[in-house]
Amino acid sequence: MKRILVMCCFALLFSCGKKQSPDVSFYYWKTAFRLSAAEKEILSKNEVSKLYVRYFDVALVDNKPFPIAPVRFVENPKNYRIVPVVFIKNEVFLSRDISLEKLAGHVLQLIRQIDQANTIQNTEIQIDCDWSLNSRDNFMEFLRILKKKYPKTISATIRLHQVKYFKETKVPPVDYGVLMFYNMGKLGDGESNSIYDPAIAKRYLPSLKEYPLKLKVALPVFSWIVHTRNHKIVNLISKIEMEKFSHNLNFEPTGDNVLRVKENTLCEGFFFKEGDQLKAEKITPEDLHEMSRLLKANLSQKPDEIIYYDLDNNNIKRIQDEYFFKANSANF
């Protein structure tokens, strides 16, 4: 009997000491919610139970906050815990005429309407805004008002510059933040990858240990094509692979993942002028492993969740290992 008790104690100690990997979840950033068979399979194999769904954007229309493109649920997400995400443009909090009380009320009202129409229950909402020093005070006050009206969990997205200079940008009064570990480079026709640039990332990483708000981590699995004209950004083309253009004779390769437009043309619903440049930027599994290692070495505490942006057939098909996301979370 004593031997059995000793063995049980060892087993208990081992299980308590075992480091649990962060949960895996995804952002869903489309205007219509409908999961493909491939998306469902990825969610199943990586044991995903939570989705952060973009519900709507808020922008200024006639100088008043207005909801843009609310999500439409083509199928009910009954098998997943849904966290509504509202993207609010920085311009909204720069407006002098804004009523933060009304804005908070309207945001919650529309979230509830979408929830009720689709029999969704939630205990958390997330606000996504790349606030600036000029909009900071309005944004922070908006979150305080929102918290009074919604006494459940509220999270906010955090950019790297808002971490490094948090004494100036302030820390959102929310339950936790989500570090958006991407879009850190300069957009343009240069050689660097604006989605992930390790040299730029390393300038900000040491500040993570000092950031006073609990953080989860968002990692990129998306790609886009940077369309430039005379070295200026014309468009960011997402959800389309570079092969759609490279197979067209009006586009000629001038380097790795770079195409030049030979003559004015229409392709995939976009207009291109002679001399325009297309540069494909993407994230590889090796990039994600490197990001995870860098974050593990610099975060003050291990995140309890890794959120991948975003769930889409075009994004997940570049990941050959169907169990990749769960395995990568173990790197933390």
Side-chain angles (χ1 to χ4, degrees):
M1 180 63 72
K2 288 183 178 179
R3 184 181 178 185
I4 293 174
L5 287 172
V6 170
M7 290 178 66
C8 288
C9 288
F10 273 117
L12 183 61
L13 286 171
F14 179 79
S15 62
C16 291
K18 186 178 180 180
K19 293 182 179 180
Q20 185 176 357
S21 298
D23 292 335
V24 176
S25 56
F26 279 87
Y27 281 103
Y28 191 91
W29 218 258
K30 303 175 189 177
T31 55
F33 184 91
R34 182 195 294 110
L35 296 176
S36 68
E39 290 166 351
K40 289 178 181 178
E41 186 173 12
I42 284 292
L43 295 178
S44 175
K45 290 187 174 179
N46 290 275
E47 301 178 6
V48 175
S49 61
K50 190 194 317 187
L51 295 174
Y52 291 77
V53 179
R54 173 210 162 274
Y55 265 37
F56 53 90
D57 298 348
V58 179
L60 287 181
V61 177
D62 295 331
N63 206 36
K64 294 181 179 180
F66 194 83
I68 307 296
V71 67
R72 179 172 57 92
F73 283 88
V74 179
E75 67 175 89
N76 190 282
K78 58 183 179 181
N79 295 324
Y80 306 95
R81 177 184 167 194
I82 300 300
V83 177
V85 183
V86 179
F87 172 70
I88 306 180
K89 287 190 174 182
N90 188 49
E91 64 183 23
V92 173
F93 296 108
L94 290 172
S95 174
R96 295 181 178 179
D97 301 326
I98 188 173
S99 168
L100 299 174
E101 187 81 28
K102 287 183 179 179
L103 177 62
H106 290 158
V107 165
L108 289 176
Q109 182 180 22
L110 184 50
I111 289 174
R112 292 189 182 111
Q113 288 176 356
I114 295 173
D115 284 343
Q116 291 170 3
N118 298 281
T119 60
I120 296 171
Q121 294 183 343
N122 60 68
T123 58
E124 175 184 348
I125 59 177
Q126 185 173 112
I127 302 299
D128 181 15
C129 179
D130 188 6
W131 75 92
S132 62
L133 288 176
N134 290 331
S135 64
R136 176 195 65 195
D137 293 343
N138 273 347
F139 179 62
M140 300 300 163
E141 181 61 21
F142 166 77
L143 291 176
R144 281 188 281 269
I145 294 171
L146 194 69
K147 187 64 176 175
K148 291 179 182 178
K149 295 177 179 291
Y150 185 87
K152 301 175 184 179
T153 300
I154 295 179
S155 58
T157 55
I158 313 291
R159 275 70 177 175
L160 280 171
H161 69 92
Q162 292 160 348
V163 168
K164 184 172 183 177
Y165 304 106
F166 74 87
K167 292 181 180 179
E168 291 80 17
T169 61
K170 302 302 180 184
V171 178
V174 294
D175 296 284
Y176 70 87
V178 178
L179 176 66
M180 316 300 278
F181 201 59
Y182 50 84
N183 293 0
M184 56 188 70
K186 183 178 180 181
L187 274 170
D189 52 10
E191 295 181 358
S192 64
N193 185 338
S194 66
I195 300 175
Y196 172 58
D197 187 325
I200 293 177
K202 290 174 183 177
R203 300 176 198 166
Y204 292 91
L205 284 168
S207 305
L208 287 173
K209 293 187 184 298
E210 301 176 15
Y211 196 67
L213 182 65
K214 176 185 176 182
L215 291 175
K216 296 182 180 181
V217 171
L219 295 179
V221 290
F222 67 92
S223 67
W224 57 30
I225 298 172
V226 183
H227 174 197
T228 56
R229 180 176 300 149
N230 298 323
H231 306 293
K232 295 182 179 179
I233 303 293
V234 176
N235 200 2
L236 281 177
I237 304 172
S238 59
K239 313 292 187 187
I240 298 179
E241 296 296 323
M242 192 68 150
E243 287 75 15
K244 293 285 187 178
F245 302 103
S246 61
H247 292 163
N248 188 312
L249 295 178
N250 283 324
F251 298 83
E252 60 178 359
T254 60
D256 292 340
N257 299 314
V258 179
L259 298 175
R260 178 186 174 276
V261 181
K262 296 167 66 175
E263 57 184 48
N264 294 359
T265 186
L266 279 170
C267 186
E268 296 295 322
F270 298 94
F271 173 71
F272 301 96
K273 290 186 68 174
E274 178 184 352
D276 284 3
Q277 178 175 293
L278 276 66
K279 183 183 73 169
E281 295 184 344
K282 60 184 178 181
I283 295 298
T284 66
E286 292 73 24
D287 290 329
L288 290 167
H289 284 316
E290 182 180 53
M291 291 177 183
S292 300
R293 289 193 297 269
L294 288 173
L295 287 166
K296 180 181 179 180
N298 288 277
L299 284 167
S300 59
Q301 60 181 357
K302 182 170 69 173
D304 55 22
E305 188 175 355
I306 308 300
I307 315 169
Y308 290 93
Y309 182 89
D310 64 318
L311 185 64
D312 180 81
N313 285 337
N314 287 322
N315 295 334
I316 60 179
K317 73 181 182 181
R318 288 191 298 274
I319 308 292
Q320 299 299 316
D321 180 3
E322 294 176 322
Y323 298 90
F324 171 85
F325 303 101
K326 181 181 177 182
N328 188 56
S329 73
N331 291 327
F332 286 87

